[in-house]
């Protein structure tokens, strides 16, 4: 046998072996994936949003549709200053929204910097399902929304306008770490068929520069799902989450054997090691294929909701920095 033939046969052998390995991995995961009770988990204190997602799962809705039902609750809540209607504007006084969705098949959609459309997570799903693209931004995303039956609404409330005018007096950009100005909703659902879907929806950081986009609508940063392994969502200082492609990292760490909590901790540590005394908040939340959830955050103040078996519980997360 000549050298070239020998190497070609060797390569075919290696390729076949890795296909067999991949199939064995998928079968093993399939056998583990029977879910008796669906689960929904979501960032921060969004009791009602997580409950609505849980209820949708109980009626047999798929994971992504259920996650969107949950996200819509916060998008429509004027009191939430980091999502949808009532979200804080940029420094010019314009509210722009970002959202991403991902399903169990690995399909995804996202919208960036959208003005005057409230339910941007639903819009991201429409981008995923009705266009040949993954991401639409700005005016194009808004036009797509109008062509698909969405209505224009002012997203600035009297309260968010008042706060912005107050902020303008000094115009100091200093995103704080506390619960008051971090309210992005990241929500992951595991449905009755054992499939995972998720959403991340936000108005971004208050008084951001015009045109600024954070991690939330960036697939792999604010949200990532691999239905063989699990899913992850992020909240907090988007610039830092993007730098480590945070949610993708969490899912890959779970693929390599870490529990959801360990994977989130490792991702937080990567951010911590690069920022010696960080003044900002970052949190990751993850769900694996077996329904285990876990989370980690940099600073005090983060908690998440977990729905299972009609119980919707708030779980406090211990920060890396004490
Ligand atoms: C962003 N990660 O735009 C978002 C902000 C956030 O709770 O999570 N706020 O950077």
């Amino acid at each position: 046998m000549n050298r070239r033939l020998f190497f070609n046969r060797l390569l075919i052998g290696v390729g076949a072996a890795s296909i067999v390995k991949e199939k064995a991995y998928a079968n093993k995961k399939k056998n583990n994936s029977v879910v008796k009770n669906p689960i929904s988990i979501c960032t921060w204190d969004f009791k009602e949003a997580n409950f609505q997602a849980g209820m949708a799962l109980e009626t047999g809705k798929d994971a992504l549709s259920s996650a969107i039902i949950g996200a819509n609750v916060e998008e429509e809540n004027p009191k939430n200053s980091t999502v949808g209607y009532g979200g804080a504007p940029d420094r010019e006084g314009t509210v722009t929204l970002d959202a991403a969705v991902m399903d169990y098949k690995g399909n995804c959609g996202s919208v960036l910097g959208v003005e005057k459309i409230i339910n941007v997570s639903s819009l991201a799903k429409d981008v995923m399902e009705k266009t040949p693209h993954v991401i639409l931004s700005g005016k194009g995303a808004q036009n797509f929304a109008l062509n698909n039956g969405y209505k224009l609404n002012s997203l600035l409330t009297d309260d968010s306008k008042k706060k912005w005018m107050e902020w303008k007096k000094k115009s100091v950009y200093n995103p704080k770490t506390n619960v008051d100005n971090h309210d992005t909703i990241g929500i992951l659902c595991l449905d009755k068929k054992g499939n995972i879907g998720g959403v991340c929806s936000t108005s971004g950081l208050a008084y951001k520069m015009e045109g600024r986009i954070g991690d939330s609508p960036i697939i792999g940063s604010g949200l990532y799902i691999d239905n063989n392994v699990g899913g992850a969502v992020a909240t907090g200082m988007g610039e830092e989450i993007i730098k480590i492609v945070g949610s993708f990292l969490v899912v890959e760490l779970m693929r390599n054997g870490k529990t959801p909590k360990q994977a989130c901790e490792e991702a937080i540590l990567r951010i911590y090691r690069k920022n010696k005394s960080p003044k900002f908040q970052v949190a990751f939340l993850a769900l694996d294929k077996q329904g285990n959830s876990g989370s980690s955050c940099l600073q005090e103040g983060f908690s998440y909701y977990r729905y299972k078996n009609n119980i919707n519980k708030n779980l406090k997360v211990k920060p890396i920095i004490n």
Side-chain angles (χ1 to χ4, degrees), residues 44 82 98 181-185 200 202-205 208 212-217 234-239 241 281:
W44 303 106
T82 316
D98 305 329
N181 78 340
H182 279 294
D183 283 339
T184 292
I185 183 160
C200 195
T202 190
S203 54
L205 294 175
K208 61 194 178 185
R212 178 264 186 193
I213 302 292
D215 60 300
S216 309
T235 179
M237 183 62 83
E239 282 72 6
I241 298 164
Q281 176 69 296

Side-chain angles (χ1 to χ4, degrees), residues 69-81:
I69 286 170
N72 285 170
V73 171
E74 285 309 314
E75 288 167 348
E76 290 161 18
N77 174 7
K79 294 208 172 109
N80 185 328
S81 63

Side-chain angles (χ1 to χ4, degrees), residues 160-216:
S160 58
K161 188 172 177 186
K162 211 167 114 195
K163 285 185 180 145
W164 166 66
M165 287 174 75
E166 198 51 43
W167 175 83
K168 264 189 11 152
K169 289 182 187 160
K170 289 195 181 142
S171 296
V172 178
Y173 181 66
N174 180 20
K176 294 202 191 94
T177 60
N178 58 25
V179 201
D180 299 337
N181 78 340
H182 279 294
D183 283 339
T184 292
I185 183 160
I187 178 161
L188 295 165
C189 291
L190 180 67
D191 63 28
K192 285 186 172 172
K193 291 188 174 155
N195 291 324
I196 301 176
V199 172
C200 195
S201 182
T202 190
S203 54
L205 294 175
Y207 320 128
K208 61 194 178 185
M209 285 177 71
E210 185 181 28
R212 178 264 186 193
I213 302 292
D215 60 300
S216 309

Side-chain angles (χ1 to χ4, degrees), residues 4 13 23 27 44 59 87 122 129 155 166 172 174 178 186 227 234 258:
R4 180 174 293 174
K23 277 196 180 150
N27 283 338
W44 303 106
T59 65
S122 308
E129 288 174 347
L155 301 176
E166 198 51 43
V172 178
N174 180 20
N178 58 25
N227 202 50
K258 293 215 186 290

Side-chain angles (χ1 to χ4, degrees), residues 43-300:
T43 53
W44 303 106
D45 207 4
F46 304 138
K47 186 176 182 181
E48 182 62 18
N50 201 51
F51 183 70
Q52 291 299 334
M55 288 294 100
L57 288 166
E58 295 291 2
T59 65
K61 281 211 172 5
D62 67 88
L64 177 53
S65 306
S66 304
I68 288 176
I69 286 170
N72 285 170
V73 171
E74 285 309 314
E75 288 167 348
E76 290 161 18
N77 174 7
K79 294 208 172 109
N80 185 328
S81 63
T82 316
V83 183
Y85 177 61
D90 64 17
R91 55 191 70 173
E92 315 302 324
T94 311
V95 184
T96 59
L97 305 182
D98 305 329
V101 301
M102 196 155 184
D103 75 5
Y104 73 102
K105 290 182 180 161
N107 296 316
C108 47
S110 92
V111 291
L112 280 60
V114 187
E115 289 179 40
K116 295 191 173 161
I117 302 289
I118 294 179
N119 294 127
V120 276
S121 58
S122 308
L123 185 62
K125 186 168 184 263
D126 281 334
V127 170
M128 176 180 102
E129 288 174 347
K130 299 179 182 166
T131 79
H133 307 302
V134 169
I135 304 173
L136 288 183
S137 72
K139 200 76 194 139
Q142 193 189 66
N143 285 340
F144 171 71
L146 293 176
N147 289 334
N148 282 277
Y150 292 75
K151 298 273 173 289
L152 292 182
N153 281 287
S154 170
L155 301 176
L156 203 61
T157 58
D158 289 347
D159 192 44
S160 58
K161 188 172 177 186
K162 211 167 114 195
K163 285 185 180 145
W164 166 66
M165 287 174 75
E166 198 51 43
W167 175 83
K168 264 189 11 152
K169 289 182 187 160
K170 289 195 181 142
S171 296
V172 178
Y173 181 66
N174 180 20
K176 294 202 191 94
T177 60
N178 58 25
V179 201
D180 299 337
N181 78 340
H182 279 294
D183 283 339
T184 292
I185 183 160
I187 178 161
L188 295 165
C189 291
L190 180 67
D191 63 28
K192 285 186 172 172
K193 291 188 174 155
N195 291 324
I196 301 176
V199 172
C200 195
S201 182
T202 190
S203 54
L205 294 175
Y207 320 128
K208 61 194 178 185
M209 285 177 71
E210 185 181 28
R212 178 264 186 193
I213 302 292
D215 60 300
S216 309
I218 310 293
I219 305 297
S221 289
L223 165 73
Y224 193 71
I225 287 162
D226 180 325
N227 202 50
N228 279 328
V229 179
V233 285
T235 179
M237 183 62 83
E239 282 72 6
E240 297 303 319
I241 298 164
I242 290 170
K243 286 178 201 166
I244 63 156
V245 200
S247 293
F248 181 74
L249 173 65
V250 170
V251 172
E252 289 308 296
L253 289 165
M254 291 196 290
R255 189 196 307 283
N256 289 327
K258 293 215 186 290
T259 64
K261 184 171 173 50
Q262 288 167 343
C264 291
E265 267 168 11
E266 173 59 27
I268 289 290
L269 281 172
R270 292 217 188 163
I271 292 175
Y272 179 62
R273 286 185 202 115
K274 291 202 285 171
N275 296 276
K276 283 300 165 232
S277 18
K279 298 275 178 287
F280 52 83
Q281 176 69 296
V282 173
F284 290 104
L285 177 58
L287 180 67
D288 72 13
K289 189 71 180 156
Q290 288 71 39
N292 305 302
S293 60
S295 177
S296 182
C297 59
L298 258 183
Q299 315 270 356
E300 192 70 52

